[in-house]
Amino acid sequence: MSAQPELFTWEFATDPYPAYAWLRENSPVHRTTLPSGVEAWLVTRYADAKQALADQRLSKNPAHHDEPAHAKGKTGIPGERKAELMTHLLNIDPPDHTRLRRLVSKAFTPRRVAEFAPRVQELTDRLIDGFVERGEADLIHEFAFPLPIYAICDLLGVPREDQDDFRDWAGMMVRHFKPGQGGGPRGGVARSVKKMRGYLAELIHRKREEPGDDLISGLIRASDHGEHLTENEAAAMAFILLFAGFETTVNLIGNGVYALLRNPEQRERLQTSLAADETELLATGVEELLRYDGPVELATWRFATEALVIGGQRIAAGDPVLVVLAAADRDPERFADPDSLDLSRRDNQHLGYGHGIHYCLGAPLARLEGQTALATLLRRMPDLRLAGDPADLRWRGGLIMRGLRTLPVEFTARQI
């Protein structure tokens, strides 16, 4: 048996897949010490991962963590506890989870998302217009990052004139938030969370006076019609939709473009398909990009409410469990030739959006944004190519998300 690979180093962040292959083979439910000092179990095989994601004995509520209270800040978003933003969908269990999810799910029905498609296309084109004449861009900062921020702000009902503030706060959170490793330089994340919390409280008051056809107004209306929703719950809901709804899409677009640039034959297939006005390969392609190098590396924290067994391994009550989606989605027991990118892969029940009652609520919107972004980039910049050496690219450190810090590209400059 080869030596156990080192986890959570910069080399690991660049390409974690060989280490995950070793764990799947040799220690599929693996106890490790995270960079924060918290001990947790990593679940790496597909069958075990799927079981764990749906197991209601694994609670999302950090109150079930067996570590002393001072350590609990290491398992969430810095500042959310102080800002009273803990009561969101990633931290609660039924029946509260069922109630809150039902309220917000109305914003993400296929019909509502389809109605939003022209706005996503408009945002996509506007952002590309900003750099298409230059012949070069950083696709993370100039495109993948602002697109979902503006989209989710529109959905929530944040006025256009305030959306750049949200972009700044979100930028601070992404730059410095390393889940499981604290809040970064001088509490920058916690400060941004506090500012966002203050703004959301004010916006909720404004929407109560002048409601619109947006998600925050919908939450207020539901609350006023007898569905109990506290202001803290409404603010926490808006916060987590922004937090969970933008960084995942940033990484979906960034990782997806990078994977296409590294697999030119697959990228060419997609461009040929798009040129023929076909959409089928685009649809299966985005699902395959989610499986191959998805935006969420590990599912968010779960805590055992009682002793249980996963993959033959006994987990004690109170132990944290992290399901490694990136490892499960490359399990050769489930996916043929899992380390190859195949945009036309049919049997692709990947776990990129999770599974069970916590399946990603925003999946339809993420799909729409991912498909629109990739199709528009390839159509408008058909000779898109990586600028510089792939070895110089850096991946953001952290536990939950997987994404590039920058993605410098070149292409033939075009007049708008």
Side-chain angles (χ1 to χ4, degrees):
M1 185 167 82
S2 58
Q4 181 182 325
E6 217 179 326
L7 305 178
F8 312 121
T9 62
W10 283 111
E11 293 75 21
F12 170 83
T14 301
D15 182 11
Y17 295 103
Y20 288 148
W22 189 94
L23 288 176
R24 273 195 315 265
E25 192 66 32
N26 300 291
S27 183
V29 181
H30 180 76
R31 190 168 175 86
T32 190
T33 302
L34 304 174
S36 63
V38 174
E39 289 198 1
W41 294 95
L42 301 180
V43 179
T44 57
R45 287 182 179 167
Y46 183 91
D48 297 337
K50 197 167 180 181
Q51 175 211 323
L53 290 171
D55 194 325
Q56 302 221 4
R57 295 170 298 176
L58 291 174
S59 167
K60 301 290 289 172
N61 189 338
H64 292 292
H65 192 187
D66 68 345
E67 290 228 0
H70 71 82
K72 289 190 182 138
K74 297 176 181 176
T75 62
I77 298 164
E80 66 177 357
R81 187 177 299 276
K82 279 187 184 165
E84 297 183 302
L85 290 171
M86 291 291 289
T87 51
H88 58 64
L89 290 172
L90 297 186
N91 279 349
I92 56 174
D93 303 315
D96 283 338
H97 176 270
T98 313
R99 174 176 61 86
L100 291 180
R101 189 177 171 104
R102 186 177 65 245
L103 283 178
V104 80
S105 63
K106 294 163 189 162
F108 294 101
T109 61
R111 183 182 64 80
R112 284 297 296 266
V113 170
E115 287 170 357
F116 200 52
R119 175 62 180 153
V120 172
Q121 185 65 61
E122 180 193 328
L123 284 169
T124 301
D125 282 318
R126 191 184 85 202
L127 290 167
I128 292 175
D129 288 346
F131 56 77
V132 72
E133 293 183 86
R134 277 205 332 260
E136 60 175 21
D138 174 0
L139 277 191
I140 301 298
H141 290 285
E142 296 182 74
F143 182 68
F145 181 81
L147 174 62
I149 285 277
Y150 292 137
I152 203 79
C153 280
D154 275 357
L155 265 186
L156 288 172
V158 176
R160 301 269 165 95
E161 62 270 19
D162 296 343
Q163 293 185 4
D164 284 335
D165 287 340
F166 263 78
R167 183 177 172 169
D168 291 344
W169 297 328
M172 175 65 81
M173 288 160 73
V174 166
R175 275 195 299 279
H176 298 314
F177 175 39
K178 296 177 174 59
Q181 293 172 243
R186 296 183 301 282
V189 178
R191 267 205 310 279
S192 293
V193 168
K194 192 175 176 186
K195 285 179 183 169
M196 204 176 273
R197 171 70 175 92
Y199 176 84
L200 288 170
E202 190 187 309
L203 185 62
I204 287 165
H205 286 306
R206 266 194 280 161
K207 295 285 182 187
R208 186 156 261 137
E209 301 297 316
E210 295 177 46
D213 185 28
D214 55 71
L215 184 48
I216 289 180
S217 299
L219 290 174
I220 292 166
R221 263 195 303 276
S223 184
D224 290 345
H225 286 87
E227 288 268 19
H228 178 61
L229 189 75
T230 67
E231 188 191 286
N232 278 348
E233 286 175 333
M237 181 73 78
F239 168 73
I240 203 60
L241 287 172
L242 183 83
F243 193 83
F246 88 87
E247 196 179 355
T248 48
T249 309
V250 176
N251 296 347
L252 167 57
I253 296 168
N255 299 6
V257 171
Y258 183 57
L260 291 174
L261 295 179
R262 302 277 284 167
N263 291 269
E265 70 299 332
Q266 293 293 314
R267 174 254 188 93
E268 200 173 312
R269 284 179 69 196
L270 182 54
Q271 283 183 298
T272 303
S273 164
L274 291 170
D277 278 333
E278 295 165 0
T279 56
E280 194 176 342
L281 192 64
L282 178 64
T284 58
V286 165
E287 299 310 305
E288 173 68 348
L289 292 167
L290 280 158
R291 182 202 68 81
Y292 178 77
D293 197 9
V296 183
E297 192 166 338
L298 283 76
T300 48
W301 295 82
R302 284 166 167 76
F303 306 94
T305 56
E306 59 185 81
L308 68 149
V309 175
I310 302 174
Q313 178 67 58
R314 187 179 180 278
I315 311 286
D319 280 1
V321 174
L322 290 164
V323 176
V324 187
L325 305 178
D329 280 344
R330 294 241 191 151
D331 188 342
E333 292 290 311
R334 178 60 187 81
F335 300 100
D337 198 10
D339 294 321
S340 293
L341 182 70
D342 175 8
L343 297 182
S344 57
R345 191 182 292 269
R346 290 263 172 245
D347 180 18
N348 194 1
Q349 298 294 310
H350 64 78
L351 299 176
Y353 289 126
H355 173 67
I357 63 167
H358 290 282
Y359 181 83
C360 175
L361 195 59
L365 179 61
R367 285 191 174 102
L368 169 67
E369 290 174 338
Q371 290 180 19
T372 306
L374 291 173
T376 310
L377 283 170
L378 292 177
R379 282 189 182 116
R380 294 190 61 179
M381 287 166 281
D383 62 344
L384 190 70
R385 57 197 177 272
L386 197 61
D389 186 339
D392 293 335
L393 292 176
R394 290 291 172 264
W395 296 80
R396 280 199 292 276
L399 273 186
I400 305 297
M401 301 290 186
R402 172 165 171 76
L404 288 160
R405 289 175 179 268
T406 60
L407 184 56
V409 294
E410 299 170 332
F411 43 88
T412 301
R414 282 174 168 70
Q415 296 301 310
I416 294 175

